Amino acid sequence: MKNIYSNIFSFNRKILNKTIKYLKSERVVSLPTETVYGLAGNAYSKNSIKKIFMLKKRPNYNPLIIHYYSKSQAENDVIFNKNFSKLYKKFCPGPLTFILKKKKNSKIHSIACANLKTVAIRFPKHRIVRNILKRTNFPLAMPSANLSSKLSPVKALDVYEDFKKKIPLIINGGVSKIGIESTVIDLTHTPKILRPGIIDFKKIEKILKIKLKGKKFSSKIKSPGMLKKHYSPGIPVFLNQKYHDKKSAFIYIGKKYINRKSFFSLSEKYDLKEAASKLYITLRNIKKKGYRAIQIARIPLNGPGIAINDRIKRAAK
Ligand code: AMP
Ligand code: MG
Protein backbone atom coordinates (compact mmCIF):
# COMPACT_ATOMS: atom_id res chain seq x y z
CA MET A 1 0.00 0.00 0.00
CA LYS A 2 1.20 3.49 -0.79
CA ASN A 3 2.18 5.48 2.26
CA ILE A 4 -0.05 8.57 2.09
CA TYR A 5 1.92 10.27 4.84
CA SER A 6 5.16 10.09 2.86
CA ASN A 7 6.14 13.65 3.88
CA ILE A 8 6.01 12.89 7.64
CA PHE A 9 9.38 11.81 9.03
CA SER A 10 10.81 10.69 12.35
CA PHE A 11 13.81 12.65 13.49
CA ASN A 12 17.29 11.30 12.85
CA ARG A 13 20.58 12.56 11.46
CA LYS A 14 19.54 12.03 7.87
CA ILE A 15 16.34 14.02 8.35
CA LEU A 16 18.22 16.71 10.24
CA ASN A 17 20.53 17.17 7.25
CA LYS A 18 17.62 17.11 4.83
CA THR A 19 15.72 19.72 6.87
CA ILE A 20 18.71 22.04 6.92
CA LYS A 21 19.21 21.58 3.21
CA TYR A 22 15.56 22.47 2.57
CA LEU A 23 15.67 25.52 4.82
CA LYS A 24 18.87 26.77 3.18
CA SER A 25 17.26 26.45 -0.24
CA GLU A 26 14.33 28.66 0.91
CA ARG A 27 11.83 25.84 1.30
CA VAL A 28 9.29 25.70 4.09
CA VAL A 29 8.98 22.73 6.49
CA SER A 30 6.95 21.87 9.58
CA LEU A 31 8.71 21.34 12.91
CA PRO A 32 7.50 20.28 16.34
CA THR A 33 7.88 22.71 19.22
CA GLU A 34 6.81 22.45 22.85
CA THR A 35 3.89 24.85 22.27
CA VAL A 36 2.41 23.83 18.89
CA TYR A 37 3.82 22.67 15.53
CA GLY A 38 5.36 25.43 13.42
CA LEU A 39 5.70 26.19 9.73
CA ALA A 40 9.37 27.18 9.43
CA GLY A 41 11.36 29.15 6.89
CA ASN A 42 14.54 31.23 6.75
CA ALA A 43 13.63 34.56 8.41
CA TYR A 44 16.22 36.40 6.28
CA SER A 45 14.77 35.17 2.98
CA LYS A 46 11.98 37.00 1.21
CA ASN A 47 11.03 33.86 -0.72
CA SER A 48 10.71 31.73 2.40
CA ILE A 49 8.60 34.32 4.19
CA LYS A 50 6.32 34.77 1.21
CA LYS A 51 5.79 31.00 1.04
CA ILE A 52 4.79 30.87 4.71
CA PHE A 53 2.17 33.60 4.27
CA MET A 54 0.87 31.98 1.10
CA LEU A 55 0.63 28.46 2.51
CA LYS A 56 -1.18 29.59 5.64
CA LYS A 57 -3.34 32.11 3.76
CA ARG A 58 -2.23 34.45 6.49
CA PRO A 59 -3.09 38.15 6.07
CA ASN A 60 0.09 40.17 5.43
CA TYR A 61 -0.54 42.47 8.41
CA ASN A 62 -0.10 39.57 10.83
CA PRO A 63 3.64 39.36 11.67
CA LEU A 64 5.54 36.13 12.33
CA ILE A 65 7.51 35.06 15.39
CA ILE A 66 11.25 34.71 14.72
CA HIS A 67 12.92 31.77 16.46
CA TYR A 68 16.53 31.63 17.68
CA TYR A 69 18.78 29.11 19.36
CA SER A 70 20.08 31.62 21.89
CA LYS A 71 20.35 35.27 22.82
CA SER A 72 23.67 35.75 21.04
CA GLN A 73 22.10 34.67 17.73
CA ALA A 74 19.53 37.45 18.07
CA GLU A 75 21.70 40.38 19.05
CA ASN A 76 22.24 41.64 15.48
CA ASP A 77 18.52 41.73 14.80
CA VAL A 78 16.86 43.22 17.89
CA ILE A 79 17.59 45.69 20.68
CA PHE A 80 17.68 43.96 24.06
CA ASN A 81 16.69 45.67 27.32
CA LYS A 82 16.77 44.90 31.05
CA ASN A 83 13.31 43.35 31.23
CA PHE A 84 14.21 41.07 28.35
CA SER A 85 17.39 39.91 30.09
CA LYS A 86 15.52 39.10 33.30
CA LEU A 87 12.81 37.11 31.56
CA TYR A 88 15.27 35.39 29.23
CA LYS A 89 17.32 34.19 32.18
CA LYS A 90 14.30 32.77 33.92
CA PHE A 91 12.16 31.33 31.11
CA CYS A 92 14.30 30.66 28.04
CA PRO A 93 14.40 28.47 26.15
CA GLY A 94 10.65 28.18 26.60
CA PRO A 95 7.12 29.26 25.64
CA LEU A 96 7.61 33.03 25.91
CA THR A 97 7.69 35.46 22.95
CA PHE A 98 9.17 38.93 23.29
CA ILE A 99 8.27 41.98 21.21
CA LEU A 100 11.42 44.10 20.92
CA LYS A 101 12.61 46.95 18.71
CA LYS A 102 14.16 45.84 15.47
CA LYS A 103 17.73 46.95 14.77
CA LYS A 104 18.14 49.18 11.70
CA ASN A 105 20.57 46.78 10.05
CA SER A 106 18.63 43.66 11.05
CA LYS A 107 18.54 41.02 8.31
CA ILE A 108 15.02 39.82 9.18
CA HIS A 109 12.93 40.38 6.11
CA SER A 110 10.48 43.25 6.63
CA ILE A 111 7.51 41.20 5.36
CA ALA A 112 8.03 38.81 8.28
CA CYS A 113 7.38 41.73 10.65
CA ALA A 114 4.51 43.14 8.59
CA ASN A 115 6.73 46.21 8.06
CA LEU A 116 6.64 47.07 11.76
CA LYS A 117 9.65 48.53 13.56
CA THR A 118 9.35 45.77 16.14
CA VAL A 119 10.04 42.02 16.04
CA ALA A 120 8.59 39.08 17.95
CA ILE A 121 11.32 36.65 19.01
CA ARG A 122 11.25 33.30 20.81
CA PHE A 123 13.72 30.64 21.93
CA PRO A 124 11.89 27.32 21.68
CA LYS A 125 12.77 24.48 24.01
CA HIS A 126 11.88 21.39 21.97
CA ARG A 127 14.97 19.22 21.37
CA ILE A 128 14.34 18.82 17.64
CA VAL A 129 13.86 22.48 16.78
CA ARG A 130 16.87 23.40 18.92
CA ASN A 131 18.97 20.88 17.04
CA ILE A 132 17.97 22.53 13.80
CA LEU A 133 18.40 26.13 15.02
CA LYS A 134 21.89 25.32 16.24
CA ARG A 135 22.92 24.33 12.74
CA THR A 136 21.43 27.12 10.60
CA ASN A 137 23.13 30.47 10.28
CA PHE A 138 19.78 32.22 10.12
CA PRO A 139 16.77 32.35 12.49
CA LEU A 140 13.49 30.66 11.61
CA ALA A 141 10.28 32.54 10.97
CA MET A 142 7.76 30.07 12.30
CA PRO A 143 4.04 30.66 12.84
CA SER A 144 1.81 27.78 13.84
CA ALA A 145 1.48 25.19 11.07
CA ASN A 146 -2.25 25.60 10.39
CA LEU A 147 -4.39 27.52 7.95
CA SER A 148 -5.05 31.06 9.18
CA SER A 149 -7.90 31.25 11.74
CA LYS A 150 -8.03 27.44 12.22
CA LEU A 151 -6.91 25.40 15.24
CA SER A 152 -3.18 25.17 15.90
CA PRO A 153 -1.64 21.71 15.36
CA VAL A 154 -0.21 19.72 18.26
CA LYS A 155 0.90 16.67 16.28
CA ALA A 156 2.32 15.86 12.84
CA LEU A 157 -1.00 14.51 11.57
CA ASP A 158 -2.76 17.78 12.46
CA VAL A 159 -0.29 19.58 10.20
CA TYR A 160 -0.89 17.04 7.45
CA GLU A 161 -4.64 17.64 7.67
CA ASP A 162 -4.23 21.31 6.73
CA PHE A 163 -1.39 21.12 4.20
CA LYS A 164 -1.29 17.56 2.87
CA LYS A 165 1.66 17.38 0.41
CA LYS A 166 1.99 21.15 -0.02
CA ILE A 167 5.02 21.05 2.28
CA PRO A 168 7.88 18.66 1.52
CA LEU A 169 8.64 17.68 5.09
CA ILE A 170 6.87 17.44 8.45
CA ILE A 171 8.96 16.20 11.36
CA ASN A 172 7.08 14.00 13.80
CA GLY A 173 8.16 15.01 17.29
CA GLY A 174 5.22 13.56 19.19
CA VAL A 175 2.42 15.54 20.80
CA SER A 176 3.41 19.10 21.81
CA LYS A 177 3.68 19.12 25.60
CA ILE A 178 2.31 22.59 26.26
CA GLY A 179 -0.30 22.39 23.54
CA ILE A 180 -1.18 26.09 23.25
CA GLU A 181 0.73 29.00 21.73
CA SER A 182 3.44 30.95 23.59
CA THR A 183 2.75 33.90 25.88
CA VAL A 184 3.48 37.12 23.94
CA ILE A 185 4.85 40.06 25.92
CA ASP A 186 5.54 43.50 24.49
CA LEU A 187 8.73 44.92 26.04
CA THR A 188 9.09 47.98 23.82
CA HIS A 189 7.33 50.18 26.40
CA THR A 190 5.89 49.35 29.81
CA PRO A 191 5.67 45.54 29.66
CA LYS A 192 2.32 44.34 28.46
CA ILE A 193 0.96 40.87 27.73
CA LEU A 194 -0.49 40.68 24.22
CA ARG A 195 -1.35 36.98 24.27
CA PRO A 196 -1.72 34.98 27.50
CA GLY A 197 -0.07 31.57 27.73
CA ILE A 198 1.29 28.99 30.13
CA ILE A 199 3.83 31.46 31.50
CA ASP A 200 1.20 33.59 33.17
CA PHE A 201 0.95 37.12 34.58
CA LYS A 202 1.93 36.19 38.12
CA LYS A 203 5.09 34.38 37.05
CA ILE A 204 6.18 37.34 34.92
CA GLU A 205 5.26 39.96 37.54
CA LYS A 206 7.37 38.11 40.08
CA ILE A 207 10.47 38.30 37.87
CA LEU A 208 9.97 41.88 36.65
CA LYS A 209 8.77 43.10 40.06
CA ILE A 210 6.03 45.22 38.49
CA LYS A 211 2.29 45.05 37.91
CA LEU A 212 1.56 44.08 34.33
CA LYS A 213 -0.69 45.76 31.82
CA GLY A 214 -2.99 43.81 29.55
CA LYS A 215 -4.76 41.76 32.18
CA LYS A 216 -8.25 42.64 31.12
CA PHE A 217 -8.94 40.80 27.90
CA SER A 218 -11.26 43.00 25.95
CA SER A 219 -12.28 42.02 22.46
CA LYS A 220 -10.16 44.89 21.12
CA ILE A 221 -7.32 43.74 18.89
CA LYS A 222 -4.04 44.68 20.56
CA SER A 223 -1.58 42.85 18.43
CA PRO A 224 -1.80 42.94 14.67
CA GLY A 225 -2.32 39.20 14.60
CA MET A 226 -4.90 39.05 17.34
CA LEU A 227 -7.66 38.42 14.89
CA LYS A 228 -10.94 38.06 16.70
CA LYS A 229 -11.97 34.87 14.97
CA HIS A 230 -9.07 32.50 15.43
CA TYR A 231 -8.46 29.00 16.70
CA SER A 232 -11.73 27.95 15.14
CA PRO A 233 -12.66 24.25 15.19
CA GLY A 234 -15.10 24.87 12.31
CA ILE A 235 -18.31 24.24 14.28
CA PRO A 236 -20.15 26.61 16.67
CA VAL A 237 -18.70 26.96 20.17
CA PHE A 238 -20.74 28.19 23.17
CA LEU A 239 -19.08 29.40 26.37
CA ASN A 240 -19.95 29.42 30.10
CA GLN A 241 -22.46 26.61 29.66
CA LYS A 242 -24.27 25.17 32.65
CA TYR A 243 -26.53 22.52 31.16
CA HIS A 244 -25.95 19.97 28.44
CA ASP A 245 -28.31 20.44 25.51
CA LYS A 246 -28.26 16.65 24.96
CA LYS A 247 -26.83 16.82 21.45
CA SER A 248 -23.62 18.91 21.51
CA ALA A 249 -20.25 17.86 22.86
CA PHE A 250 -19.70 19.27 26.36
CA ILE A 251 -16.21 20.30 27.53
CA TYR A 252 -15.47 20.78 31.23
CA ILE A 253 -12.72 20.37 33.83
CA GLY A 254 -12.86 17.76 36.61
CA LYS A 255 -14.51 14.35 36.74
CA LYS A 256 -18.12 15.15 37.44
CA TYR A 257 -19.41 13.59 34.20
CA ILE A 258 -16.82 10.92 33.83
CA ASN A 259 -17.65 8.13 31.36
CA ARG A 260 -20.79 9.91 30.20
CA LYS A 261 -21.30 10.08 26.47
CA SER A 262 -20.65 13.51 24.88
CA PHE A 263 -18.78 14.82 27.96
CA PHE A 264 -15.08 15.62 27.56
CA SER A 265 -12.90 16.53 30.53
CA LEU A 266 -9.78 18.63 29.88
CA SER A 267 -8.30 17.50 33.19
CA GLU A 268 -9.80 15.01 35.61
CA LYS A 269 -7.50 16.16 38.39
CA TYR A 270 -8.47 19.81 37.79
CA ASP A 271 -4.99 20.85 36.69
CA LEU A 272 -5.30 23.95 34.49
CA LYS A 273 -1.94 23.38 32.81
CA GLU A 274 -3.05 19.93 31.77
CA ALA A 275 -6.39 21.39 30.66
CA ALA A 276 -4.60 23.89 28.38
CA SER A 277 -2.52 21.11 26.85
CA LYS A 278 -5.65 19.08 26.05
CA LEU A 279 -7.72 21.92 24.59
CA TYR A 280 -6.86 21.68 20.88
CA ILE A 281 -6.71 17.88 20.87
CA THR A 282 -10.17 17.75 22.41
CA LEU A 283 -11.66 20.29 20.01
CA ARG A 284 -10.29 18.36 17.01
CA ASN A 285 -11.42 15.06 18.44
CA ILE A 286 -14.97 16.35 18.92
CA LYS A 287 -15.13 17.70 15.38
CA LYS A 288 -13.92 14.33 14.03
CA LYS A 289 -16.59 12.48 15.96
CA GLY A 290 -19.15 14.42 13.97
CA TYR A 291 -20.67 16.66 16.67
CA ARG A 292 -22.36 19.74 15.22
CA ALA A 293 -21.64 22.12 18.13
CA ILE A 294 -19.51 22.42 21.27
CA GLN A 295 -20.59 23.66 24.69
CA ILE A 296 -17.86 24.64 27.13
CA ALA A 297 -18.42 25.01 30.88
CA ARG A 298 -17.00 28.04 32.70
CA ILE A 299 -13.21 27.79 32.96
CA PRO A 300 -11.64 29.61 35.96
CA LEU A 301 -9.86 32.86 35.10
CA ASN A 302 -6.56 32.28 36.82
CA GLY A 303 -3.14 30.88 35.85
CA PRO A 304 -3.34 28.88 32.60
CA GLY A 305 -7.13 29.35 32.79
CA ILE A 306 -6.62 32.89 31.46
CA ALA A 307 -4.96 31.49 28.31
CA ILE A 308 -7.67 28.84 27.91
CA ASN A 309 -10.39 31.50 28.16
CA ASP A 310 -8.58 33.67 25.62
CA ARG A 311 -8.45 30.83 23.06
CA ILE A 312 -12.00 29.58 23.55
CA LYS A 313 -13.37 33.09 23.38
CA ARG A 314 -11.86 33.49 19.96
CA ALA A 315 -12.88 29.99 18.92
CA ALA A 316 -16.45 31.03 19.78
CA LYS A 317 -16.51 34.22 17.66
P1 AMP B 1 1.50 32.78 15.60
O1 AMP B 1 2.70 32.95 14.74
O2 AMP B 1 0.33 32.26 14.85
O3 AMP B 1 1.80 32.06 16.87
O4 AMP B 1 1.11 34.25 16.04
C1 AMP B 1 2.10 35.16 16.42
C2 AMP B 1 1.53 36.28 17.21
O5 AMP B 1 2.55 37.22 17.56
C3 AMP B 1 0.50 37.04 16.42
O6 AMP B 1 -0.63 37.25 17.20
C4 AMP B 1 1.17 38.34 16.09
O7 AMP B 1 0.31 39.42 15.97
C5 AMP B 1 2.10 38.52 17.25
N1 AMP B 1 3.23 39.36 16.81
C6 AMP B 1 4.23 39.00 15.99
N2 AMP B 1 5.06 40.06 15.77
C7 AMP B 1 4.56 41.10 16.45
C8 AMP B 1 4.94 42.45 16.62
N3 AMP B 1 6.02 42.97 16.03
N4 AMP B 1 4.17 43.24 17.41
C9 AMP B 1 3.08 42.74 18.04
N5 AMP B 1 2.65 41.47 17.91
C10 AMP B 1 3.39 40.65 17.14
MG1 MG C 1 -1.13 30.84 14.80
Side-chain angles (χ1 to χ4, degrees), residues 56 58 144 146 152 181 230-231:
K56 277 181 68 77
R58 182 163 169 126
S144 49
N146 55 290
S152 295
E181 304 79 358
H230 210 129
Y231 315 120

Side-chain angles (χ1 to χ4, degrees), residues 67 80 199 282:
H67 295 70
F80 296 148
I199 296 180
T282 307

Side-chain angles (χ1 to χ4, degrees), residues 169-183:
L169 185 147
I170 300 169
I171 296 183
N172 182 358
V175 177
S176 296
K177 268 200 192 126
I178 291 173
I180 58 165
E181 304 79 358
S182 58
T183 306

Side-chain angles (χ1 to χ4, degrees), residues 109-213:
H109 202 278
S110 56
I111 318 176
C113 307
N115 290 314
L116 297 168
K117 291 196 169 111
T118 54
V119 192
I121 67 167
R122 182 165 100 83
F123 307 87
K125 194 172 184 168
H126 196 291
R127 172 183 71 91
I128 293 177
V129 73
R130 278 184 67 73
N131 245 303
I132 292 161
L133 283 168
K134 206 173 168 180
R135 285 167 181 77
T136 52
N137 49 3
F138 47 81
L140 295 177
M142 185 163 57
S144 49
N146 55 290
L147 292 171
S148 189
S149 92
K150 295 279 186 272
L151 285 181
S152 295
V154 294
K155 53 184 195 303
L157 277 179
D158 296 346
V159 178
Y160 186 87
E161 246 172 50
D162 272 10
F163 297 107
K164 305 282 186 309
K165 297 278 158 56
K166 284 185 193 150
I167 37 182
L169 185 147
I170 300 169
I171 296 183
N172 182 358
V175 177
S176 296
K177 268 200 192 126
I178 291 173
I180 58 165
E181 304 79 358
S182 58
T183 306
V184 178
I185 184 163
D186 185 351
L187 296 177
T188 58
H189 300 94
T190 311
K192 186 174 172 187
I193 302 248
L194 302 183
R195 176 172 76 188
I198 281 299
I199 296 180
D200 61 39
F201 290 89
K202 280 210 183 119
K203 289 186 190 150
I204 293 175
E205 285 178 337
K206 206 173 141 195
I207 301 301
L208 295 185
K209 300 190 172 67
I210 51 159
K211 284 277 159 210
L212 276 173
K213 282 184 165 184

